Amino acid sequence: MKIKELRKSKHISQQKMAMDLNTNQNTISRYETGVREPGISELIRIADYFEVSIDYLVGRTDNPKFYK
Amino acid sequence: MKIKELRKSKHISQQKMAMDLNTNQNTISRYETGVREPGISELIRIADYFEVSIDYLVGRTDNPKFYK
DNA sequence: ATATAAATATCCCAAATTGGGATATTTAAG
DNA sequence: CTTAAATATCCCAATTTGGGATATTTATAT
């Protein structure tokens, strides 16, 4: 989960990001530290938020074989 | 979740797919009918299995803006 | 260097979600 | 029409989740 990198590249706090996504700061923190994982709908919202693919978000970009 | 279409295109049963993914037939059924959702790791395994992107798998392909 | 504030991580817990076994229902063959 | 294969649903224990509160870490100002 590349949330932390993406968030920092946008120079926003966990707090702001949490607000934007209608959730809590601690939830974002957990995603970033990996102690919790978001469900699919949350995953999509985060990907939308950063305008990246889910595959990138979850670190699956280096996988050479997804085409569709 | 485009599991059903992908699975059918490969002409395999839920049973076989479940076996291949070390899970149960009812779990696959639930994913397909939408009553349950897989977690991220399972999502990746399914995407790997069908060799598609997660974005495609969850029906996010039509979103024009993911680039990274 | 230290007080203060901002940012991030962790604790606890109730609620929601999950997967599995068993079983019912639907669909396809014979 | 019967049987078998495929798929969906029920029940339930266990895991996982998010939120509030709080602790800890990090940055800023004096």
Side-chain angles (χ1 to χ4, degrees):
Chain A
M1 286 282 270
K2 304 209 188 280
I3 293 182
K4 191 170 196 171
E5 305 161 38
L6 289 164
R7 180 176 59 80
K8 288 203 166 179
S9 78
K10 283 208 166 192
H11 304 291
I12 63 183
S13 67
Q14 291 181 345
Q15 183 64 241
K16 168 163 174 51
M17 177 177 167
M19 292 300 217
D20 292 342
L21 295 175
N22 298 319
T23 183
N24 293 334
Q25 174 269 324
N26 57 23
T27 296
I28 303 298
S29 173
R30 283 155 170 161
Y31 292 166
E32 290 189 359
T33 56
V35 308
R36 300 284 165 82
E37 293 198 330
I40 293 182
S41 56
E42 193 76 342
L43 204 56
I44 292 175
R45 302 183 47 160
I46 297 171
D48 284 345
Y49 186 68
F50 290 120
E51 298 183 34
V52 298
S53 71
I54 298 174
D55 296 83
Y56 176 81
L57 190 59
V58 304
R60 196 173 166 257
T61 302
D62 40 317
N63 192 332
K65 60 183 175 185
F66 66 84
Y67 49 84
K68 211 164 188 181
Chain B
M1 287 282 269
K2 304 210 188 278
I3 293 182
K4 192 169 194 171
E5 304 162 38
L6 288 164
R7 178 177 60 81
K8 287 203 166 179
S9 78
K10 283 206 163 193
H11 302 292
I12 63 183
S13 67
Q14 291 180 344
Q15 183 64 241
K16 168 163 174 47
M17 175 177 169
M19 293 298 218
D20 293 341
L21 295 175
N22 298 320
T23 184
N24 294 333
Q25 174 268 322
N26 55 24
T27 296
I28 303 298
S29 173
R30 283 154 170 164
Y31 293 166
E32 292 189 357
T33 55
V35 308
R36 298 286 164 82
E37 293 200 329
I40 293 182
S41 56
E42 192 77 343
L43 204 55
I44 292 174
R45 302 183 47 161
I46 296 172
D48 283 346
Y49 185 68
F50 290 120
E51 299 182 33
V52 298
S53 70
I54 298 174
D55 296 83
Y56 176 80
L57 190 59
V58 304
R60 196 174 167 256
T61 302
D62 40 316
N63 192 332
K65 59 182 175 186
F66 67 84
Y67 50 82
K68 210 163 187 179

